[in-house]
Short mmCIF file of all heavy atoms in Angstrom, two decimals:
data_model
loop_
_atom_site.label_atom_id
_atom_site.label_comp_id
_atom_site.label_asym_id
_atom_site.label_seq_id
_atom_site.Cartn_x
_atom_site.Cartn_y
_atom_site.Cartn_z
N GLY A 1 37.07 -13.82 18.74
CA GLY A 1 37.77 -14.76 19.64
C GLY A 1 39.05 -15.08 19.04
O GLY A 1 39.50 -14.60 18.01
N GLU A 2 39.77 -15.92 19.84
CA GLU A 2 41.11 -16.36 19.43
C GLU A 2 41.06 -17.42 18.53
O GLU A 2 40.23 -18.33 18.55
CB GLU A 2 41.86 -16.83 20.65
CG GLU A 2 43.22 -16.01 20.92
CD GLU A 2 43.83 -16.49 22.14
OE1 GLU A 2 44.57 -17.53 22.12
OE2 GLU A 2 43.70 -15.79 23.26
N TRP A 3 41.99 -17.51 17.51
CA TRP A 3 42.01 -18.60 16.48
C TRP A 3 42.73 -19.65 17.07
O TRP A 3 43.72 -19.61 17.79
CB TRP A 3 42.84 -18.08 15.25
CG TRP A 3 41.88 -17.39 14.36
CD1 TRP A 3 41.07 -16.32 14.63
CD2 TRP A 3 41.81 -17.61 12.98
NE1 TRP A 3 40.38 -15.90 13.44
CE2 TRP A 3 40.90 -16.69 12.45
CE3 TRP A 3 42.34 -18.46 12.10
CZ2 TRP A 3 40.50 -16.71 11.17
CZ3 TRP A 3 42.11 -18.38 10.74
CH2 TRP A 3 41.05 -17.46 10.21
N GLN A 4 42.36 -20.86 16.87
CA GLN A 4 42.87 -22.10 17.10
C GLN A 4 43.39 -22.73 15.88
O GLN A 4 43.12 -22.26 14.80
CB GLN A 4 41.87 -23.15 17.83
CG GLN A 4 41.29 -22.54 18.96
CD GLN A 4 42.15 -22.35 20.19
OE1 GLN A 4 43.10 -23.16 20.43
NE2 GLN A 4 42.07 -21.28 20.91
N ASP A 5 44.30 -23.64 16.05
CA ASP A 5 44.82 -24.27 14.73
C ASP A 5 43.74 -24.91 13.89
O ASP A 5 43.93 -24.87 12.66
CB ASP A 5 45.92 -25.45 15.18
CG ASP A 5 47.14 -24.90 15.70
OD1 ASP A 5 47.51 -23.65 15.53
OD2 ASP A 5 47.88 -25.61 16.39
N ASP A 6 42.88 -25.51 14.48
CA ASP A 6 41.69 -26.12 13.66
C ASP A 6 41.00 -25.08 12.88
O ASP A 6 40.56 -25.21 11.74
CB ASP A 6 40.60 -26.78 14.60
CG ASP A 6 41.30 -28.09 15.19
OD1 ASP A 6 42.26 -28.57 14.61
OD2 ASP A 6 40.64 -28.55 16.22
N ASP A 7 40.83 -23.80 13.51
CA ASP A 7 40.13 -22.72 12.84
C ASP A 7 40.94 -22.35 11.58
O ASP A 7 40.46 -22.05 10.55
CB ASP A 7 39.96 -21.44 13.78
CG ASP A 7 38.97 -21.67 14.80
OD1 ASP A 7 38.03 -22.60 14.67
OD2 ASP A 7 39.02 -21.11 15.83
N ALA A 8 42.27 -22.17 11.72
CA ALA A 8 43.12 -21.84 10.60
C ALA A 8 43.13 -22.81 9.62
O ALA A 8 43.07 -22.49 8.37
CB ALA A 8 44.69 -21.55 11.19
N ASP A 9 43.09 -24.04 9.84
CA ASP A 9 43.12 -25.16 8.96
C ASP A 9 41.62 -25.06 8.11
O ASP A 9 41.69 -25.18 6.89
CB ASP A 9 43.15 -26.56 9.45
CG ASP A 9 44.57 -26.78 10.02
OD1 ASP A 9 45.47 -26.12 9.58
OD2 ASP A 9 44.70 -27.70 10.83
N THR A 10 40.63 -24.89 8.82
CA THR A 10 39.32 -24.67 8.23
C THR A 10 39.38 -23.55 7.30
O THR A 10 38.74 -23.57 6.13
CB THR A 10 38.22 -24.59 9.22
OG1 THR A 10 38.28 -25.71 10.07
CG2 THR A 10 36.95 -24.42 8.55
N MET A 11 39.91 -22.39 7.70
CA MET A 11 39.83 -21.21 6.84
C MET A 11 40.73 -21.43 5.61
O MET A 11 40.38 -21.07 4.52
CB MET A 11 40.41 -20.02 7.62
CG MET A 11 40.33 -18.74 6.89
SD MET A 11 38.68 -18.23 6.30
CE MET A 11 38.11 -17.66 7.82
N TRP A 12 41.98 -22.11 5.71
CA TRP A 12 42.82 -22.29 4.61
C TRP A 12 42.02 -23.15 3.53
O TRP A 12 42.08 -22.90 2.44
CB TRP A 12 44.06 -23.12 5.06
CG TRP A 12 44.96 -23.32 3.89
CD1 TRP A 12 45.28 -24.61 3.41
CD2 TRP A 12 45.71 -22.35 3.23
NE1 TRP A 12 46.11 -24.41 2.39
CE2 TRP A 12 46.52 -23.15 2.25
CE3 TRP A 12 45.91 -21.11 3.27
CZ2 TRP A 12 47.43 -22.53 1.33
CZ3 TRP A 12 46.84 -20.34 2.43
CH2 TRP A 12 47.49 -21.19 1.44
N VAL A 13 41.36 -24.30 4.06
CA VAL A 13 40.58 -25.08 3.12
C VAL A 13 39.43 -24.27 2.47
O VAL A 13 39.29 -24.32 1.29
CB VAL A 13 40.05 -26.37 3.76
CG1 VAL A 13 38.98 -27.03 2.98
CG2 VAL A 13 41.11 -27.22 4.23
N SER A 14 38.83 -23.38 3.34
CA SER A 14 37.69 -22.58 2.67
C SER A 14 38.12 -21.75 1.61
O SER A 14 37.38 -21.41 0.74
CB SER A 14 37.06 -21.82 3.96
OG SER A 14 36.52 -22.60 4.81
N MET A 15 39.40 -21.10 1.67
CA MET A 15 39.92 -20.22 0.65
C MET A 15 40.16 -20.86 -0.55
O MET A 15 40.24 -20.10 -1.62
CB MET A 15 41.10 -19.56 1.19
CG MET A 15 41.00 -18.56 2.42
SD MET A 15 42.56 -17.93 2.83
CE MET A 15 42.13 -16.90 4.25
N HIS A 16 40.19 -22.17 -0.62
CA HIS A 16 40.35 -22.91 -1.87
C HIS A 16 39.09 -23.55 -2.34
O HIS A 16 39.13 -24.16 -3.43
CB HIS A 16 41.49 -24.01 -1.60
CG HIS A 16 42.82 -23.43 -1.47
ND1 HIS A 16 43.35 -22.89 -0.35
CD2 HIS A 16 43.82 -23.47 -2.36
CE1 HIS A 16 44.46 -22.62 -0.45
NE2 HIS A 16 44.92 -22.87 -1.64
N ALA A 17 38.07 -23.39 -1.70
CA ALA A 17 36.69 -24.12 -1.95
C ALA A 17 36.13 -23.44 -3.23
O ALA A 17 36.03 -22.28 -3.48
CB ALA A 17 35.71 -24.03 -0.83
N ALA A 18 35.59 -24.33 -4.20
CA ALA A 18 34.95 -23.94 -5.31
C ALA A 18 33.59 -23.54 -4.99
O ALA A 18 32.98 -23.91 -4.05
CB ALA A 18 35.00 -25.14 -6.32
N PRO A 19 33.04 -22.75 -5.79
CA PRO A 19 31.70 -22.07 -5.50
C PRO A 19 30.64 -23.17 -5.37
O PRO A 19 29.80 -23.01 -4.44
CB PRO A 19 31.44 -21.26 -6.83
CG PRO A 19 32.71 -20.84 -7.41
CD PRO A 19 33.58 -22.00 -7.05
N GLU A 20 30.63 -24.29 -6.17
CA GLU A 20 29.57 -25.17 -6.01
C GLU A 20 29.77 -25.97 -4.73
O GLU A 20 28.71 -26.42 -4.05
CB GLU A 20 29.65 -26.23 -7.19
CG GLU A 20 30.96 -26.76 -7.49
CD GLU A 20 31.81 -25.98 -8.57
OE1 GLU A 20 31.84 -24.77 -8.46
OE2 GLU A 20 32.31 -26.63 -9.56
N MET A 21 30.90 -26.04 -4.11
CA MET A 21 31.21 -26.61 -2.84
C MET A 21 30.56 -25.73 -1.73
O MET A 21 29.90 -26.13 -0.86
CB MET A 21 32.58 -26.94 -2.54
CG MET A 21 33.14 -28.02 -3.39
SD MET A 21 34.95 -28.23 -3.13
CE MET A 21 34.87 -28.99 -1.58
N VAL A 22 30.84 -24.46 -1.85
CA VAL A 22 30.37 -23.42 -0.87
C VAL A 22 28.85 -23.40 -0.86
O VAL A 22 28.27 -23.23 0.19
CB VAL A 22 31.00 -22.04 -1.19
CG1 VAL A 22 30.34 -20.92 -0.42
CG2 VAL A 22 32.47 -22.11 -1.19
N LEU A 23 28.38 -23.49 -2.04
CA LEU A 23 26.84 -23.44 -2.09
C LEU A 23 26.17 -24.80 -1.79
O LEU A 23 24.86 -24.86 -1.76
CB LEU A 23 26.37 -23.08 -3.54
CG LEU A 23 26.86 -21.58 -3.92
CD1 LEU A 23 26.68 -21.37 -5.43
CD2 LEU A 23 26.16 -20.62 -3.07
N GLY A 24 26.99 -25.85 -1.54
CA GLY A 24 26.40 -27.08 -1.16
C GLY A 24 25.73 -27.92 -2.35
O GLY A 24 24.91 -28.69 -2.06
N LYS A 25 26.14 -27.51 -3.48
CA LYS A 25 25.72 -28.21 -4.64
C LYS A 25 26.47 -29.45 -4.96
O LYS A 25 27.55 -29.50 -4.48
CB LYS A 25 25.80 -27.23 -5.84
CG LYS A 25 24.79 -26.01 -5.84
CD LYS A 25 24.91 -25.21 -7.00
CE LYS A 25 23.96 -24.02 -7.04
NZ LYS A 25 24.06 -23.16 -8.13
N LYS A 26 25.94 -30.31 -5.84
CA LYS A 26 26.63 -31.54 -6.28
C LYS A 26 27.70 -30.92 -7.09
O LYS A 26 27.50 -30.05 -7.92
CB LYS A 26 25.57 -32.32 -7.02
CG LYS A 26 25.98 -33.79 -7.29
CD LYS A 26 24.99 -34.55 -8.02
CE LYS A 26 25.44 -36.02 -8.07
NZ LYS A 26 24.38 -36.85 -8.65
N TYR A 27 28.83 -31.63 -7.02
CA TYR A 27 30.03 -31.15 -7.82
C TYR A 27 30.89 -32.37 -8.31
O TYR A 27 30.87 -33.49 -7.78
CB TYR A 27 30.91 -30.26 -7.00
CG TYR A 27 31.49 -30.85 -5.70
CD1 TYR A 27 32.63 -31.47 -5.69
CD2 TYR A 27 30.79 -30.67 -4.51
CE1 TYR A 27 33.14 -32.10 -4.50
CE2 TYR A 27 31.25 -31.25 -3.30
CZ TYR A 27 32.54 -31.92 -3.35
OH TYR A 27 32.96 -32.46 -2.25
N ASP A 28 31.57 -32.07 -9.41
CA ASP A 28 32.55 -32.97 -9.99
C ASP A 28 33.85 -32.76 -9.32
O ASP A 28 34.44 -31.57 -9.32
CB ASP A 28 32.59 -32.60 -11.45
CG ASP A 28 33.53 -33.61 -12.30
OD1 ASP A 28 34.63 -34.05 -11.69
OD2 ASP A 28 33.39 -33.77 -13.43
N THR A 29 34.44 -33.70 -8.64
CA THR A 29 35.65 -33.62 -7.87
C THR A 29 36.83 -33.23 -8.84
O THR A 29 37.63 -32.40 -8.32
CB THR A 29 36.08 -34.93 -7.19
OG1 THR A 29 36.17 -35.99 -8.15
CG2 THR A 29 35.00 -35.28 -6.05
N ARG A 30 36.78 -33.51 -10.11
CA ARG A 30 37.93 -33.14 -10.86
C ARG A 30 37.87 -31.60 -11.19
O ARG A 30 38.90 -30.90 -11.18
CB ARG A 30 37.90 -33.81 -12.30
CG ARG A 30 38.08 -35.32 -12.09
CD ARG A 30 37.80 -36.12 -13.33
NE ARG A 30 36.32 -36.00 -13.57
CZ ARG A 30 35.70 -36.58 -14.59
NH1 ARG A 30 36.40 -37.28 -15.54
NH2 ARG A 30 34.42 -36.43 -14.60
N LYS A 31 36.65 -31.15 -11.31
CA LYS A 31 36.46 -29.70 -11.53
C LYS A 31 36.86 -28.84 -10.39
O LYS A 31 37.45 -27.77 -10.41
CB LYS A 31 35.02 -29.31 -11.99
CG LYS A 31 34.89 -29.78 -13.41
CD LYS A 31 33.37 -29.51 -13.79
CE LYS A 31 33.15 -29.97 -15.17
NZ LYS A 31 31.73 -29.71 -15.71
N VAL A 32 36.45 -29.32 -9.11
CA VAL A 32 36.83 -28.59 -7.91
C VAL A 32 38.37 -28.70 -7.57
O VAL A 32 38.86 -27.78 -7.13
CB VAL A 32 35.93 -28.88 -6.68
CG1 VAL A 32 34.58 -28.53 -7.00
CG2 VAL A 32 36.17 -30.36 -6.28
N ASP A 33 39.01 -29.69 -8.07
CA ASP A 33 40.40 -29.88 -7.85
C ASP A 33 41.17 -28.83 -8.84
O ASP A 33 42.14 -28.23 -8.52
CB ASP A 33 40.94 -31.25 -8.26
CG ASP A 33 40.58 -32.26 -7.15
OD1 ASP A 33 40.27 -31.70 -6.07
OD2 ASP A 33 40.69 -33.46 -7.44
N ILE A 34 40.54 -28.71 -10.03
CA ILE A 34 41.09 -27.67 -11.00
C ILE A 34 41.01 -26.28 -10.42
O ILE A 34 41.92 -25.50 -10.47
CB ILE A 34 40.54 -27.85 -12.41
CG1 ILE A 34 40.95 -29.07 -12.95
CG2 ILE A 34 40.89 -26.61 -13.30
CD1 ILE A 34 40.21 -29.56 -14.27
N TRP A 35 39.81 -26.10 -9.87
CA TRP A 35 39.50 -24.78 -9.13
C TRP A 35 40.64 -24.48 -8.09
O TRP A 35 41.26 -23.42 -8.06
CB TRP A 35 38.20 -24.67 -8.49
CG TRP A 35 37.91 -23.48 -7.78
CD1 TRP A 35 38.23 -23.31 -6.40
CD2 TRP A 35 37.33 -22.23 -8.18
NE1 TRP A 35 37.85 -22.12 -5.99
CE2 TRP A 35 37.30 -21.46 -6.95
CE3 TRP A 35 36.83 -21.84 -9.25
CZ2 TRP A 35 36.82 -20.18 -7.04
CZ3 TRP A 35 36.35 -20.49 -9.29
CH2 TRP A 35 36.26 -19.68 -8.27
N ALA A 36 40.82 -25.49 -7.21
CA ALA A 36 41.81 -25.30 -6.12
C ALA A 36 43.20 -25.18 -6.65
O ALA A 36 43.94 -24.41 -5.96
CB ALA A 36 41.74 -26.56 -5.13
N THR A 37 43.57 -25.82 -7.77
CA THR A 37 44.81 -25.69 -8.36
C THR A 37 44.98 -24.26 -8.89
O THR A 37 46.03 -23.74 -8.78
CB THR A 37 45.03 -26.77 -9.45
OG1 THR A 37 44.90 -28.00 -9.03
CG2 THR A 37 46.31 -26.54 -10.13
N GLY A 38 43.98 -23.71 -9.59
CA GLY A 38 43.98 -22.39 -9.91
C GLY A 38 44.15 -21.35 -8.88
O GLY A 38 44.90 -20.42 -8.95
N VAL A 39 43.50 -21.55 -7.69
CA VAL A 39 43.67 -20.67 -6.54
C VAL A 39 45.12 -20.79 -6.09
O VAL A 39 45.71 -19.75 -5.86
CB VAL A 39 42.77 -21.08 -5.47
CG1 VAL A 39 42.98 -20.42 -4.13
CG2 VAL A 39 41.26 -20.82 -5.85
N THR A 40 45.69 -21.91 -6.04
CA THR A 40 47.03 -22.10 -5.62
C THR A 40 48.03 -21.44 -6.63
O THR A 40 48.96 -20.71 -6.17
CB THR A 40 47.35 -23.59 -5.49
OG1 THR A 40 46.50 -24.16 -4.56
CG2 THR A 40 48.85 -23.88 -4.92
N LEU A 41 47.78 -21.60 -7.92
CA LEU A 41 48.66 -21.12 -8.85
C LEU A 41 48.52 -19.48 -8.76
O LEU A 41 49.56 -18.86 -8.82
CB LEU A 41 48.23 -21.47 -10.33
CG LEU A 41 49.11 -21.00 -11.55
CD1 LEU A 41 50.48 -21.26 -11.36
CD2 LEU A 41 48.42 -21.40 -12.75
N TYR A 42 47.42 -19.03 -8.64
CA TYR A 42 47.23 -17.50 -8.44
C TYR A 42 48.07 -17.08 -7.28
O TYR A 42 48.75 -15.97 -7.32
CB TYR A 42 45.76 -17.26 -8.20
CG TYR A 42 45.37 -15.75 -8.04
CD1 TYR A 42 45.10 -14.90 -9.14
CD2 TYR A 42 45.55 -15.02 -6.70
CE1 TYR A 42 44.83 -13.49 -9.00
CE2 TYR A 42 45.25 -13.84 -6.52
CZ TYR A 42 44.89 -12.99 -7.71
OH TYR A 42 44.70 -11.63 -7.53
N ALA A 43 47.92 -17.73 -6.10
CA ALA A 43 48.67 -17.37 -4.96
C ALA A 43 50.19 -17.36 -5.21
O ALA A 43 50.88 -16.49 -4.74
CB ALA A 43 48.41 -18.20 -3.83
N MET A 44 50.67 -18.34 -6.02
CA MET A 44 52.15 -18.43 -6.29
C MET A 44 52.54 -17.32 -7.19
O MET A 44 53.63 -16.84 -6.94
CB MET A 44 52.39 -19.81 -6.97
CG MET A 44 52.35 -21.06 -6.04
SD MET A 44 52.31 -22.55 -6.89
CE MET A 44 53.88 -22.51 -7.74
N LEU A 45 51.73 -16.90 -8.06
CA LEU A 45 52.07 -15.86 -9.11
C LEU A 45 51.96 -14.49 -8.48
O LEU A 45 52.75 -13.63 -8.75
CB LEU A 45 51.24 -16.01 -10.30
CG LEU A 45 51.56 -17.27 -11.23
CD1 LEU A 45 50.51 -17.31 -12.32
CD2 LEU A 45 53.01 -17.20 -11.68
N VAL A 46 50.87 -14.27 -7.68
CA VAL A 46 50.49 -12.86 -7.24
C VAL A 46 51.00 -12.64 -5.85
O VAL A 46 51.28 -11.51 -5.43
CB VAL A 46 48.95 -12.68 -7.32
CG1 VAL A 46 48.48 -11.40 -6.74
CG2 VAL A 46 48.52 -12.80 -8.84
N GLY A 47 51.19 -13.74 -5.07
CA GLY A 47 51.68 -13.58 -3.70
C GLY A 47 50.70 -13.51 -2.59
O GLY A 47 50.90 -13.10 -1.44
N ARG A 48 49.46 -13.80 -3.08
CA ARG A 48 48.34 -13.70 -2.09
C ARG A 48 47.18 -14.62 -2.67
O ARG A 48 47.14 -14.79 -3.83
CB ARG A 48 47.81 -12.22 -1.83
CG ARG A 48 47.23 -11.62 -3.00
CD ARG A 48 46.64 -10.24 -2.62
NE ARG A 48 45.99 -9.64 -3.86
CZ ARG A 48 44.83 -9.90 -4.37
NH1 ARG A 48 44.12 -10.83 -3.72
NH2 ARG A 48 44.42 -9.29 -5.38
N LEU A 49 46.24 -14.93 -1.84
CA LEU A 49 45.08 -15.74 -2.28
C LEU A 49 44.12 -14.84 -2.94
O LEU A 49 44.00 -13.63 -2.60
CB LEU A 49 44.59 -16.50 -1.18
CG LEU A 49 45.20 -17.67 -0.62
CD1 LEU A 49 44.73 -18.10 0.71
CD2 LEU A 49 45.34 -18.73 -1.56
N PRO A 50 43.41 -15.27 -3.86
CA PRO A 50 42.39 -14.49 -4.62
C PRO A 50 41.36 -14.06 -3.83
O PRO A 50 40.68 -13.08 -4.04
CB PRO A 50 41.89 -15.23 -5.76
CG PRO A 50 42.18 -16.65 -5.47
CD PRO A 50 43.45 -16.51 -4.52
N PHE A 51 40.88 -14.94 -2.89
CA PHE A 51 39.74 -14.61 -1.98
C PHE A 51 40.30 -14.79 -0.62
O PHE A 51 40.65 -15.83 -0.08
CB PHE A 51 38.58 -15.67 -2.14
CG PHE A 51 38.23 -15.78 -3.60
CD1 PHE A 51 38.57 -16.83 -4.44
CD2 PHE A 51 37.44 -14.87 -4.17
CE1 PHE A 51 38.31 -17.02 -5.74
CE2 PHE A 51 37.14 -14.88 -5.57
CZ PHE A 51 37.44 -16.01 -6.28
N GLN A 52 40.22 -13.65 0.30
CA GLN A 52 40.54 -13.67 1.59
C GLN A 52 39.59 -12.80 2.50
O GLN A 52 39.17 -11.70 2.05
CB GLN A 52 42.00 -13.02 1.71
CG GLN A 52 43.05 -13.77 1.01
CD GLN A 52 44.41 -13.14 1.21
OE1 GLN A 52 44.92 -13.08 2.36
NE2 GLN A 52 44.88 -12.54 0.16
N HIS A 53 39.23 -13.23 3.52
CA HIS A 53 38.48 -12.50 4.55
C HIS A 53 38.50 -13.32 5.87
O HIS A 53 38.53 -14.48 5.91
CB HIS A 53 36.99 -12.51 4.08
CG HIS A 53 36.24 -11.29 4.71
ND1 HIS A 53 35.90 -11.25 5.93
CD2 HIS A 53 35.87 -10.15 4.05
CE1 HIS A 53 35.21 -10.11 6.25
NE2 HIS A 53 35.23 -9.40 5.07
N ASP A 54 38.55 -12.56 6.92
CA ASP A 54 38.48 -13.20 8.28
C ASP A 54 37.21 -13.81 8.73
O ASP A 54 37.24 -14.76 9.50
CB ASP A 54 38.89 -12.19 9.41
CG ASP A 54 40.34 -11.65 9.22
OD1 ASP A 54 41.15 -12.47 8.65
OD2 ASP A 54 40.52 -10.49 9.78
N ASN A 55 36.18 -13.42 8.04
CA ASN A 55 34.83 -13.95 8.32
C ASN A 55 34.51 -14.89 7.27
O ASN A 55 34.46 -14.64 6.06
CB ASN A 55 33.84 -12.78 8.35
CG ASN A 55 32.34 -13.28 8.57
OD1 ASN A 55 31.87 -13.95 7.85
ND2 ASN A 55 31.85 -12.87 9.81
N THR A 56 34.21 -16.13 7.66
CA THR A 56 34.03 -17.27 6.81
C THR A 56 32.75 -16.92 5.82
O THR A 56 32.81 -17.25 4.68
CB THR A 56 33.88 -18.58 7.49
OG1 THR A 56 34.93 -18.80 8.20
CG2 THR A 56 33.68 -19.79 6.50
N LEU A 57 31.65 -16.47 6.37
CA LEU A 57 30.55 -16.16 5.56
C LEU A 57 30.83 -15.10 4.48
O LEU A 57 30.39 -15.20 3.38
CB LEU A 57 29.38 -15.64 6.47
CG LEU A 57 28.84 -16.83 7.42
CD1 LEU A 57 27.57 -16.18 8.26
CD2 LEU A 57 28.19 -17.92 6.64
N GLN A 58 31.59 -14.09 4.84
CA GLN A 58 31.98 -13.08 3.87
C GLN A 58 32.96 -13.69 2.81
O GLN A 58 32.84 -13.34 1.57
CB GLN A 58 32.61 -11.88 4.56
CG GLN A 58 31.68 -11.06 5.41
CD GLN A 58 30.62 -10.44 4.53
OE1 GLN A 58 30.82 -9.91 3.36
NE2 GLN A 58 29.38 -10.45 4.96
N LEU A 59 33.81 -14.62 3.22
CA LEU A 59 34.70 -15.26 2.31
C LEU A 59 33.90 -15.98 1.32
O LEU A 59 34.09 -15.92 0.01
CB LEU A 59 35.60 -16.17 2.99
CG LEU A 59 36.50 -17.08 2.16
CD1 LEU A 59 37.47 -16.26 1.41
CD2 LEU A 59 37.24 -18.18 3.13
N TYR A 60 32.96 -16.79 1.81
CA TYR A 60 31.98 -17.57 0.90
C TYR A 60 31.22 -16.76 -0.04
O TYR A 60 31.12 -16.98 -1.25
CB TYR A 60 31.06 -18.48 1.68
CG TYR A 60 31.65 -19.58 2.37
CD1 TYR A 60 31.04 -20.37 3.38
CD2 TYR A 60 32.95 -20.03 2.15
CE1 TYR A 60 31.65 -21.46 4.02
CE2 TYR A 60 33.57 -21.06 2.72
CZ TYR A 60 32.84 -21.74 3.68
OH TYR A 60 33.49 -22.88 4.27
N LYS A 61 30.84 -15.51 0.37
CA LYS A 61 30.05 -14.68 -0.43
C LYS A 61 31.01 -14.01 -1.51
O LYS A 61 30.59 -14.05 -2.69
CB LYS A 61 29.60 -13.43 0.35
CG LYS A 61 28.82 -12.50 -0.47
CD LYS A 61 28.15 -11.28 0.42
CE LYS A 61 27.39 -10.41 -0.42
NZ LYS A 61 26.78 -9.30 0.40
N MET A 62 32.29 -13.84 -1.25
CA MET A 62 33.17 -13.43 -2.21
C MET A 62 33.44 -14.62 -3.27
O MET A 62 33.47 -14.28 -4.46
CB MET A 62 34.55 -13.06 -1.61
CG MET A 62 34.59 -11.85 -0.79
SD MET A 62 36.04 -11.67 0.15
CE MET A 62 37.25 -11.22 -1.09
N ILE A 63 33.57 -15.76 -2.86
CA ILE A 63 33.80 -16.87 -3.76
C ILE A 63 32.57 -17.12 -4.69
O ILE A 63 32.79 -17.35 -5.81
CB ILE A 63 34.13 -18.06 -2.96
CG1 ILE A 63 35.49 -18.04 -2.29
CG2 ILE A 63 34.06 -19.33 -3.93
CD1 ILE A 63 35.78 -19.08 -1.32
N THR A 64 31.52 -17.03 -4.19
CA THR A 64 30.25 -17.33 -4.99
C THR A 64 29.67 -16.10 -5.95
O THR A 64 28.79 -16.34 -6.80
CB THR A 64 29.08 -17.87 -4.06
OG1 THR A 64 28.83 -16.78 -3.17
CG2 THR A 64 29.43 -19.20 -3.31
N THR A 65 30.27 -15.06 -5.62
CA THR A 65 29.82 -13.81 -6.54
C THR A 65 30.76 -13.21 -7.31
O THR A 65 30.44 -12.35 -8.09
CB THR A 65 29.10 -12.69 -5.51
OG1 THR A 65 30.25 -12.28 -4.69
CG2 THR A 65 28.00 -13.17 -4.72
N THR A 66 31.89 -13.88 -7.49
CA THR A 66 32.94 -13.41 -8.33
C THR A 66 32.97 -14.01 -9.67
O THR A 66 32.61 -15.18 -9.86
CB THR A 66 34.32 -13.61 -7.71
OG1 THR A 66 34.40 -13.04 -6.46
CG2 THR A 66 35.49 -13.15 -8.53
#
């Protein structure tokens, strides 16, 4: 289907999600903030996000198995 702005926003947030968030586990907000900062730093240095996929479930699989 066609992407809406809300879908793009959700995907952008999903690409920065820490594994414990994706798995629905209890998490320390400081640690997941550090994870998201690392993802952002990676993107700034490499020019792309470390985890990318058009399918959210596949994206989550990549995040949780890396």
Side-chain angles (χ1 to χ4, degrees):
E2 236 179 84
W3 276 50
Q4 302 295 320
D5 285 340
D6 290 342
D7 293 335
D9 290 343
T10 299
M11 185 59 75
W12 180 254
V13 170
S14 297
M15 290 178 183
H16 289 79
E20 51 268 47
M21 292 177 72
V22 171
L23 294 170
K25 294 182 177 180
K26 196 171 183 180
Y27 59 87
D28 180 334
T29 56
R30 294 171 293 183
K31 290 180 181 180
V32 298
D33 284 348
I34 291 168
W35 171 276
T37 301
V39 170
T40 302
L41 180 60
Y42 180 94
M44 291 170 60
L45 294 173
V46 177
R48 65 176 180 79
L49 290 165
F51 308 104
Q52 297 181 68
H53 203 288
D54 291 337
N55 180 292
T56 305
L57 293 178
Q58 289 299 319
L59 174 66
Y60 288 168
K61 184 176 181 181
M62 291 172 70
I63 291 171
T64 58
T65 58
T66 300

